[in-house]
Amino acid sequence: MESFVNLIVLTLAAGTPLALAALGELVTEKSGVLNLGVEGMMTVGAVAAFIVAVNTNSPWQGIAAGAAAAVVLALVFAFIVLSLMANQVATGLALSLFGIGLASFVGRDYVAKVIGGLPVLHLPGLSDLPIVGELLFSYSPIVYLTLVLFALTQWVLTRTRAGLIVRAVGESPQAAHAIGLPVIFVRYLCVLFGGLCSGLAGAYLAVAYTPLWAEGMIAGRGWIAVALVVFATWKPWRALAGAYLFGFVTLAQFQVQAWGTAIPPQFLSMLPYLATIVVLVLISRNVLTVRLNAPVSLGKPFHPGD
């Protein structure tokens, strides 16, 4: 039972950055914008959070700085693709490369430094309960924030007028514009929300999960988050479940190594990415499901004058 509880706790912690990044990308894509720069935004968020946390000795200020840095990067992306109408795929790829390179340059003096990180939530009495206390109160506050964000996003997208507007903009921006909806403004807000979530994901990795800064520490999680959106067929709770599934797969490589198996560690490191490819292949076989759930205008530029 102790091992099972530890596995659950570690899986939720490992899946949180994937969940946050996937949630941001899901909302962005719901509005019809495809942002492939998640990896770059997460990396910039991670390095900004770590640098500020080191210099201020405040993990929370670091997390705020990481989220803000990624939002700035998302704003640049939004201006290029929404105002200048550049190609979304090419701009997203450039954003990822730029973010990774910028973080490597800015964070080169912080590689050997370590901080205390965010403490886990502790409620006197409740946290000390056997099994239940460890299952419910053994996480960073960011883990609980992630669950709240998913619940709010699910509610907003499916139960509110704001969610209806986002979905309308993603399905038919021309029709939305014809009835007076501010298509470009809505898409700007969704892209900025995606940047906020990606920044929080990177900040969580650097300040709470690790906590340290190392070049390449995002390790493809941004790309997995983009794939998770397709895996979830643009539904928030499926994205959350998929993120924790990939978190479990990530932990599996360390567990197998701990058992002393003869499997090469390089192969075990491939497991999360191999699982991503397998899942995408399986989903692609059901083309109808993807077409029914994908926003119709995803990746297509829109100009109010059209």
Side-chain angles (χ1 to χ4, degrees):
M1 182 59 69
E2 182 72 20
S3 299
F4 174 75
V5 171
N6 288 335
L7 180 62
I8 296 297
V9 171
L10 292 174
T11 296
L12 291 179
T16 293
L18 290 172
L20 277 170
L23 178 64
E25 179 64 14
L26 186 147
V27 172
T28 300
E29 294 190 11
K30 273 289 189 180
S31 71
V33 180
L34 177 63
N35 186 357
L36 297 181
V38 179
E39 183 86 1
M41 293 188 296
M42 286 181 68
T43 308
V44 168
V47 72
F50 189 78
I51 290 174
V52 172
V54 168
N55 291 307
T56 64
N57 201 27
S58 171
W60 284 111
Q61 289 187 35
I63 288 174
V71 167
V72 171
L73 213 57
L75 181 61
V76 173
F77 170 83
F79 175 74
I80 294 174
V81 302
L82 298 178
S83 297
L84 303 182
M85 298 185 64
N87 183 274
Q88 295 179 14
V89 174
T91 306
L93 293 174
L95 182 68
S96 273
L97 295 174
F98 173 76
I100 294 171
L102 177 64
S104 299
F105 175 73
V106 174
R108 65 191 187 282
D109 295 330
Y110 292 86
V111 173
K113 298 184 179 181
V114 180
I115 60 176
L118 278 179
V120 300
L121 180 67
H122 182 81
L123 298 178
L126 294 177
S127 297
D128 300 324
L129 292 174
I131 302 177
V132 176
E134 189 174 357
L135 272 175
L136 298 180
F137 307 108
S138 297
Y139 312 100
S140 162
I142 304 297
V143 176
Y144 301 101
L145 175 62
T146 301
L147 296 176
V148 171
L149 280 176
F150 265 90
L152 285 175
T153 302
Q154 175 74 22
W155 177 72
V156 168
L157 287 178
T158 59
R159 303 284 182 174
T160 68
R161 183 175 184 273
L164 180 62
I165 290 174
V166 170
R167 288 185 284 124
V169 167
E171 292 297 327
S172 179
Q174 291 81 9
H177 177 70
I179 61 175
L181 296 179
V183 174
I184 299 298
F185 179 70
V186 170
R187 288 186 168 184
Y188 258 98
L189 291 180
C190 291
V191 171
L192 294 183
F193 178 78
L196 175 69
C197 290
S198 295
L200 284 174
Y204 170 80
L205 280 170
V207 174
Y209 185 69
T210 316
L212 54 81
W213 164 253
E215 186 176 345
M217 67 178 298
I218 303 302
R221 287 181 176 88
W223 300 111
I224 294 178
V226 174
L228 274 173
V229 177
V230 182
F231 165 75
T233 58
W234 293 269
K235 295 181 179 179
W237 289 115
R238 288 187 183 179
L240 182 64
Y244 290 143
L245 173 63
F246 278 91
F248 173 78
V249 173
T250 302
L251 291 175
Q253 58 178 304
F254 303 111
Q255 187 63 50
V256 172
Q257 290 177 11
W259 290 339
T261 59
I263 302 176
Q266 292 83 0
F267 178 79
L268 296 175
S269 299
M270 292 165 49
L271 284 179
Y273 313 104
L274 182 62
T276 303
I277 295 173
V278 171
V279 167
L280 289 177
V281 169
L282 293 176
I283 292 175
S284 299
R285 296 179 62 185
N286 192 346
V287 180
L288 182 61
T289 300
V290 176
R291 287 181 176 176
L292 287 176
N293 291 282
V296 176
S297 67
L298 181 61
K300 299 177 182 178
F302 168 75
H303 191 276
D306 292 345

